[in-house]
Amino acid sequence: MPHRARISLGGETLDLQISRAALEGGEGAILVLTWSIVTQQVEVEKHIWKLAHYDALTGLENRHAFGQRLSREDGAPLAGGVLLIGLDGFETISDLNGRHVGEGLIVQVADRLRLACQGQDAHIGRLEGNQFAMLVPYAERERLEAFARELVALLGRPYWLGQKMLPGVTVVIGIAQQPQHGTGSDRLIARADIAMRVAKSQRKSAVAFFQLDMEQCLLERVLLEQDLRRALETGEGLFVFYQPIMEISSGRVSTREALVRWHRPQCGWVSPADFIPIAEETDLIEHLGAFVLRRACLDALVWEDSARVAVNMSGRQFGRQSLVPAVMAALDETGLPAERLEIEITETAALAEDADVLADLHCLHAMGVRISLDDFGTGYSSFSHLRTFHVDKIKIDGSFVRDAAKKIECASIVRAAADIGRRLGIPVVAECVETEEQFHSIVLEGCTEAQGYFISVPKPTARDLVTINIINRSEDDLFFVKGDEMDIYFSCNDRLREIYSM
């Protein structure tokens, strides 16, 4: 049988092969040695192997190589933890500063992860894009969590790229433990990913351990997304309610805010707090926004008082070159005058330094559409927003309004916002006015308009009311109107009351 070997000699790699050859006539045999220089071939093979096992940008193990780390060669599971590390908001940093800055940031994150693992029997991989993974030999939950918190702090520090300083990234970490949560690489990484999604949903730098009920929650989320997609395709089960905003001095309705409501077949009414975040995480937010926008413009046409209609827009809809065309299409299709449409953008979503967001806001204002700054007082740059783009209305966040009658600091914020509006000559709306005491308080502080349960709950249109009554009667709930004012009455079903009052 031939025997092969490779040796290094004088900087070259030789491929040796020894074989046996029979002599003519069958009288014995000889050994034959053949050799060839395979230096370049070996280098190519090494390069291909490296590409197959390591990330080209960071030099860390890739998904394939990291997966092989999760079990010993003999198949015995390693006791430890798999940390899946996500950099939340990385795409925004890369888009705003350029691809080379994004890649530089990834390299520095990899270097910091190496630093964190010095002196430990830990392994690091870059699975994709802005997602890293670690295999650490800690079996104790407390130690795993402490290490993960250290990583959150380490990666959250500012980064220097040349002469440019970038703020620290927001880090979310999901942890799956081996062998408690499985032994296969795909299963462990998938379960760590589920935990990371939970950490991300907490909307802050966070760490989460995988739990079995998370898989069920993820399945329910997937089904919820599928049903919402189907509802947007057919229009079935989606309704727009309207909550009036009252001008305090005259008592007339100046604006009605459009609020989307969804009845899910076999499941009942779904809280906006449950389905809107899912829409924002997917492409559904633009479809949902377009649905509400068109319906609101259509409904406003028949209002006898010619009040404006306010439509909330997610911050994710701005800066994508799709919002302005959607507004133009809704106005053209329905014939609603632009000055009767008001677009609400939350203060935290109004990224004053984002050129694309500003371009959308300026374009809407040029069309005659009014801009309302929602949740005023909760962001970190309230005054810069007022300076950077034109604002037609300020809406004070309900958290201040609720406590204005009892806490002097909240009353001071309401008074300051009202004074700003007076000086700028724009209305100031107090949101979430739920009691007579709160109403008298915001009047005292100088607010010009009020919105909330004390004024009116959100109400459906007369067109939708018949369908909604049928839905609610089938669920043994009461929902009916009284007289021409469409006052809404509820049974003792607290969940239904909660949905309609949001």
Side-chain angles (χ1 to χ4, degrees):
M1 295 291 292
H3 176 73
R4 303 189 65 171
R6 282 182 176 175
I7 64 171
S8 297
L9 182 65
E12 301 287 353
T13 301
L14 304 182
D15 186 74
L16 304 179
Q17 178 172 311
I18 301 175
S19 58
R20 182 180 179 182
L23 296 175
E24 291 185 8
E27 298 179 358
I30 60 173
L31 295 177
V32 179
L33 172 65
T34 59
W35 60 275
S36 59
I37 301 176
V38 292
T39 306
Q40 290 186 346
Q41 179 184 335
V42 169
E43 291 301 318
V44 170
E45 290 174 353
K46 288 181 178 178
H47 182 65
I48 293 174
W49 184 89
K50 187 175 182 179
L51 289 177
H53 291 79
Y54 289 89
D55 173 56
L57 180 62
T58 63
L60 298 175
E61 294 177 348
N62 61 16
R63 178 181 287 271
H64 171 71
F66 185 80
Q68 292 180 327
R69 291 281 186 185
L70 297 183
S71 294
R72 290 195 178 101
E73 294 181 359
D74 59 5
L78 292 167
V82 176
L83 280 64
L84 202 62
I85 305 162
L87 311 180
D88 196 20
F90 168 78
E91 291 84 359
T92 301
I93 295 175
S94 184
D95 290 344
L96 292 177
N97 296 280
R99 179 179 175 181
H100 68 288
V101 172
E103 291 181 345
L105 178 60
I106 289 294
V107 170
Q108 289 199 24
V109 167
D111 290 339
R112 292 189 186 186
L113 291 176
R114 288 191 183 95
L115 179 64
C117 291
Q118 280 184 349
Q120 303 183 59
D121 185 20
H123 301 280
I124 315 169
R126 183 190 180 202
L127 304 191
E128 60 185 25
N130 60 336
Q131 192 176 92
F132 296 82
M134 270 191 181
L135 174 61
V136 292
Y138 306 147
E140 304 85 1
R141 181 186 175 101
E142 295 76 12
R143 192 174 181 187
L144 280 170
E145 182 171 4
F147 180 67
R149 298 288 179 190
E150 291 175 6
L151 292 180
V152 169
L154 179 64
L155 300 181
R157 297 172 186 168
Y159 295 81
W160 282 97
L161 295 171
Q163 300 298 316
K164 187 179 184 66
M165 187 186 79
L166 295 177
V169 293
T170 301
V171 180
V172 287
I173 300 179
I175 304 175
Q177 293 175 273
Q178 187 173 239
Q180 297 97 309
H181 301 144
T183 56
S185 61
D186 291 342
R187 190 172 186 81
L188 278 168
I189 291 175
R191 289 187 158 182
D193 182 64
I194 291 173
M196 188 180 71
R197 290 169 182 260
V198 172
K200 186 176 180 179
S201 69
Q202 298 175 8
R203 299 186 180 276
K204 59 182 179 179
S205 294
V207 175
F209 282 81
F210 172 79
Q211 298 176 17
L212 289 176
D213 60 353
M214 290 180 179
E215 282 185 319
Q216 181 61 33
C217 291
L218 179 62
L219 176 60
E220 292 175 358
R221 183 199 179 283
V222 171
L223 295 176
L224 190 68
E225 179 184 337
Q226 292 175 350
D227 287 351
L228 180 58
R229 191 177 298 276
R230 191 177 301 111
L232 285 168
E233 291 172 354
T234 64
E236 296 179 2
L238 285 173
F239 304 93
V240 178
F241 283 29
Y242 298 93
Q243 186 174 38
I245 299 175
M246 186 187 76
E247 187 178 79
I248 294 174
S249 61
S250 65
R252 72 177 184 88
V253 174
S254 66
T255 314
R256 291 182 179 89
E257 181 177 354
L259 301 167
V260 65
R261 297 292 182 261
W262 178 31
H263 184 268
R264 187 182 179 196
Q266 289 82 49
C267 297
W269 293 97
V270 183
S271 170
D274 292 332
F275 70 84
I276 288 181
I278 291 177
E280 289 182 326
E281 294 171 11
T282 64
D283 62 328
L284 295 180
I285 190 61
E286 293 192 6
H287 299 291
L288 184 62
F291 167 82
V292 176
L293 187 62
R294 180 185 177 280
R295 180 67 64 84
C297 291
L298 197 62
D299 290 339
L301 284 175
V302 301
W303 295 344
E304 294 182 359
D305 56 10
S306 298
R308 292 184 295 272
V309 61
V311 179
N312 288 283
M313 288 295 172
S314 166
R316 295 180 181 271
Q317 293 176 261
F318 284 84
R320 294 188 175 186
Q321 289 76 52
S322 59
L323 177 59
V324 173
V327 172
M328 293 178 64
L331 293 175
D332 290 342
E333 184 179 348
T334 62
L336 184 75
E339 58 270 17
R340 287 191 61 197
L341 176 61
E342 195 170 279
I343 297 296
E344 290 191 6
I345 179 172
T346 62
E347 184 188 354
T348 51
L351 304 176
E353 296 182 2
D354 190 317
D356 292 332
V357 173
L358 284 176
D360 278 352
L361 291 169
H362 290 312
C363 189
L364 290 172
H365 180 256
M367 291 165 53
V369 175
R370 295 169 63 88
I371 304 298
S372 176
L373 191 58
D374 201 7
D375 298 341
F376 187 79
T378 60
Y380 64 91
S381 54
S382 306
F383 296 105
S384 68
H385 291 149
L386 295 176
R387 181 189 62 191
T388 306
F389 59 86
H390 182 90
V391 174
D392 298 288
K393 179 181 290 184
I394 295 172
K395 300 187 74 176
I396 305 174
D397 185 70
S399 61
F400 302 115
V401 174
R402 292 189 190 97
D403 292 332
K406 299 177 180 179
K407 296 182 179 180
I408 188 171
E409 59 271 23
C410 291
S412 298
I413 292 173
V414 172
R415 186 184 311 119
D419 187 57
I420 291 171
R422 181 178 59 81
R423 291 175 183 272
L424 294 177
I426 59 177
V428 175
V429 182
E431 295 184 293
C432 302
V433 180
E434 299 173 352
T435 66
E436 184 176 1
E437 182 184 26
Q438 291 170 353
F439 180 76
H440 288 310
S441 174
I442 60 105
V443 171
L444 181 64
E445 302 303 342
C447 295
T448 55
E449 298 186 356
Q451 178 184 8
Y453 194 81
F454 180 73
I455 309 301
S456 173
V457 297
K459 301 175 181 179
T461 63
R463 178 189 62 248
D464 291 334
L465 190 59
V466 173
T467 303
I468 291 172
N469 275 331
I470 293 173
I471 289 172
N472 290 334
R473 286 195 186 101
S474 68
E475 298 180 356
D476 295 324
D477 292 312
L478 296 178
F479 180 88
F480 55 91
V481 297
K482 173 186 176 183
D484 296 331
E485 296 182 356
M486 293 177 60
D487 293 333
I488 298 176
Y489 290 78
F490 299 89
S491 69
C492 59
N493 186 326
D494 292 335
R495 179 58 174 164
L496 187 65
R497 184 185 182 92
E498 173 192 343
I499 296 298
Y500 279 95
S501 301
M502 287 187 67

